[in-house]
Amino acid sequence: MEDNTSGEIAGTKMNKKGDSANASYYHIVNPSTNIAVVGAEMTHSFFTNVTTITVGTQHALDPLTTIKARANNAGKASALIQHEWRPKSLFTISGEMDTKSIHKSPKVGLALALKP
């Protein structure tokens, strides 16, 4: 991973089995609001010869609440809203849908992570 002072992070990696490679880029536009307009990832599987490109964004509504969204070239779109209601305790609502298979029901999830 490479990190510099302009708020850009780029990296590449290969999984342990060597059957897929991953490249990613993340650009923080405004550190005070934690907005990342460009977050992109490309994964290539050598076994299936399939490449997936995912683009995402996030925005801090306030210091305790973050929204995130992403979509990929396979038609999957997802979003979440996460709120830290106590220190290190998070409540998350998320959803995902396959835009290429409208007949499939979207997935919705709730999560509660508690830290003492």
Side-chain angles (χ1 to χ4, degrees), residues 17-115:
K17 295 179 183 178
D19 62 356
S20 69
N22 178 292
S24 60
Y25 174 78
Y26 186 79
H27 180 82
I28 298 172
V29 175
N30 186 344
S32 66
T33 58
N34 199 21
I35 297 174
V37 170
V38 178
E41 178 181 78
M42 183 180 80
T43 303
H44 179 75
S45 171
F46 298 108
F47 181 71
T48 61
N49 200 29
V50 173
T51 300
T52 305
I53 299 170
T54 304
V55 178
T57 186
Q58 75 178 30
H59 178 69
L61 296 176
D62 59 47
L64 302 174
T65 308
T66 303
I67 56 172
K68 297 179 181 183
R70 68 180 178 185
N72 69 20
N73 64 315
K76 299 266 181 157
S78 60
L80 71 77
I81 184 165
Q82 188 171 63
H83 180 70
E84 184 176 3
W85 58 282
R86 292 182 57 192
K88 298 183 182 179
S89 294
L90 303 170
F91 177 70
T92 305
I93 301 171
S94 62
E96 179 181 274
M97 69 178 292
D98 186 347
T99 61
K100 292 185 177 181
S101 298
I102 304 261
H103 63 279
K104 290 184 181 178
S105 297
K107 298 175 184 175
V108 177
L110 298 171
L112 182 61
L114 302 172
K115 299 279 183 170

